[in-house]
Amino acid sequence: MRSAEDRPTPTVATPQAATPRPSMSPWRFVMAFGVVSLLMDYVYEGARSITGPLLAHLGASAAVVGVVTGAGEAAALGLRLLSGPLADRSRRFWAWTVAGYALTAVTVPVLGLAGALWAACALVVAERVGKAVRSPAKDTLLSHATATTGRGRGFAVHEAMDQVGALLGPLTVAGILALTGDDYAPALGVLALPGAAALALLVRLRARVPDPVAYETSDSDEEPAPDGITAATYPNPGLPRAFWVYAAFTAMTLVGFATFGVLSYHLVVRDLVPTAAVPVLYAAAMAADALAALATGRLYDRHGARVLAVLPLLSAAVALLAFTDTVWIVVLGALVWGAAVGVQESTLRATVADLVPPGRRATAYGFFAGIMGAAALAGGALTGALYEVSIPVLITTVAVVQVTALALLWATRTPRH
């Protein structure tokens, strides 16, 4: 029995008492949100595919490109430490979501018109700030609907649709650059169309489902989640202990996870594939991402958190396969890398919703993203440095890190009562 202090924050009204039922089914809500994400990925992944060449065209050095893109990613993840708690405090999840998407939809087409390097740099960072503004609130809205559809499947379908946009955007930009002789203005300007469509659909979705918390039953935070992971709260205003252990597990998997930058560096410096083939391999990895998200999401709903054990195994396999000198094995390693990213972007997010009650969920997503960002930075630096030292040492270190991650995953599991 919980004491009054242990209960979720009182700002969340029970759906039956205060919140009207949505006018669309949970699955239709998830699918509609998936279309929004598809369209917006079309926009910002299209822009990100040519950020480096665009900045170079305006006179940036490699160091400037590295600093600007690094600052953008830091903003996209680090600022969620603020936007998550603020979204929980204000309870205006739709406002945060719309504002974040609007910032991205505006900055990308304008980026193509930037005539000065400083302006382009500011717009690149601003686009990433938009992601930081919307992500905790967006994931919270989605988490309510997935309480009915199944957390794993709901987040997996959303991620798979996301990746469709991530493929279409860069291909569209590449095609227009080829047709216009590398004119960035029309290549980025055309992305205003999917951006406007996404915002229109988002506004319509908000009108149809003003408060998605109604999808989630009033006692959802009282019931144990799959495989013993619970949303239990503690007699303090912080996040559950299980969440922090789970975040440590996630961080450990990323500390031992090579970035695609390191993988592609290996491909090029060892002359394994032509440079032009690297984007094609990346696109194939994104397809593996979508398939892995769908598969593990469905398995998570059936078998619970034990499914997440596949992530350390995939991460270890990436190092073992991707850093060989045999082309087909390296390609297989890149596909495994994509599959691991699919688990990271879908099932990991779904589990956060099972660990944290609705009243603190946006805060949890903000902290979770910040932890993932710091761990990914450490992982990229670690694997890159070890690559220069010795590939066998890199493989061994990654294996040890992933075994530690498995131990942390086991510690996240809590017994049923």
Side-chain angles (χ1 to χ4, degrees):
M1 180 70 67
R2 297 181 184 178
S3 67
E5 289 180 309
D6 291 295
R7 298 187 184 280
T9 52
T11 53
V12 181
T14 57
Q16 294 91 336
T19 307
R21 296 300 300 172
S23 61
M24 62 194 308
S25 70
W27 265 121
R28 287 184 63 194
F29 180 84
V30 169
M31 296 296 291
F33 230 126
V35 173
V36 171
S37 292
L38 184 158
L39 291 169
M40 291 308 302
D41 261 47
Y42 198 122
V43 175
Y44 72 78
E45 293 290 8
R48 292 178 73 195
S49 70
I50 58 167
T51 295
L54 172 62
L55 295 180
H57 172 72
L58 294 173
S61 64
V64 170
V65 173
V67 169
V68 171
T69 55
E73 293 310 306
L77 292 166
L79 290 179
R80 297 185 210 187
L81 294 171
L82 296 176
S83 63
L86 288 173
D88 266 341
R89 189 174 304 170
S90 67
R91 315 305 301 167
R92 300 185 65 182
F93 299 113
W94 278 116
W96 284 89
T97 302
V98 173
Y101 276 129
L103 183 57
T104 293
V106 170
T107 53
V108 166
V110 175
L111 178 61
L113 302 175
L117 177 59
W118 68 267
C121 292
L123 288 166
V124 168
V125 174
E127 185 279 311
R128 295 284 81 194
V129 170
K131 189 170 182 65
V133 168
R134 68 180 178 262
S135 290
K138 176 204 70 176
D139 285 344
T140 300
L141 293 171
L142 192 60
S143 74
H144 296 313
T146 59
T148 301
T149 65
R151 301 279 192 211
R153 283 179 294 173
F155 276 96
V157 168
H158 180 268
E159 169 65 10
M161 297 179 72
D162 215 47
Q163 292 310 301
V164 174
L167 289 172
L168 294 177
L171 292 176
T172 299
V173 169
I176 295 177
L177 286 175
L179 290 173
T180 61
D182 294 340
D183 190 343
Y184 292 101
L188 293 175
V190 74
L191 299 179
L193 298 176
L199 289 176
L201 178 57
L202 193 63
V203 171
R204 176 177 171 79
L205 193 58
R206 183 191 183 283
R208 295 285 304 276
V209 188
D211 194 353
V213 75
Y215 288 123
E216 200 160 355
T217 58
S218 61
D219 61 349
S220 62
D221 59 312
E222 301 283 348
E223 298 178 355
D227 203 27
I229 287 184
T230 65
T233 54
Y234 292 80
N236 60 65
L239 295 166
R241 176 183 175 276
F243 166 80
W244 294 112
V245 178
Y246 176 69
F249 154 74
T250 301
M252 190 61 66
T253 64
L254 289 170
V255 167
F257 187 66
T259 64
F260 191 80
V262 178
L263 269 64
S264 60
Y265 178 87
H266 174 73
L267 287 167
V268 173
V269 299
R270 296 293 182 96
D271 293 322
L272 297 176
V273 299
T275 302
V278 173
V280 177
L281 184 58
Y282 182 80
M286 291 300 96
D289 173 325
L291 294 175
L294 291 170
T296 56
R298 188 173 185 85
L299 289 171
Y300 174 79
D301 288 336
R302 289 184 175 183
H303 304 291
R306 65 173 66 94
V307 171
L308 293 172
V310 73
L311 183 55
L313 299 178
L314 289 172
S315 299
V318 169
L320 185 62
L321 298 170
F323 295 112
T324 66
D325 288 328
T326 304
V327 174
W328 73 268
I329 297 179
V330 176
V331 169
L332 179 60
L335 296 177
V336 172
W337 178 88
V341 173
V343 179
Q344 292 168 5
E345 294 294 327
S346 59
T347 312
L348 286 183
R349 289 160 56 211
T351 309
V352 171
D354 278 333
L355 284 167
V356 181
R360 292 197 290 268
R361 204 166 284 164
T363 298
Y365 277 121
F367 276 98
F368 192 68
I371 291 168
M372 287 185 71
L377 176 61
L382 175 66
T383 55
L386 291 178
Y387 181 89
E388 297 293 337
V389 174
S390 166
I391 289 179
V393 171
L394 166 61
I395 294 171
T396 301
T397 302
V398 167
V400 171
V401 170
Q402 298 305 336
V403 168
T404 305
L406 284 171
L408 286 168
L409 177 62
W410 182 262
T412 309
R413 294 155 54 98
T414 57
R416 295 179 184 271
H417 296 288

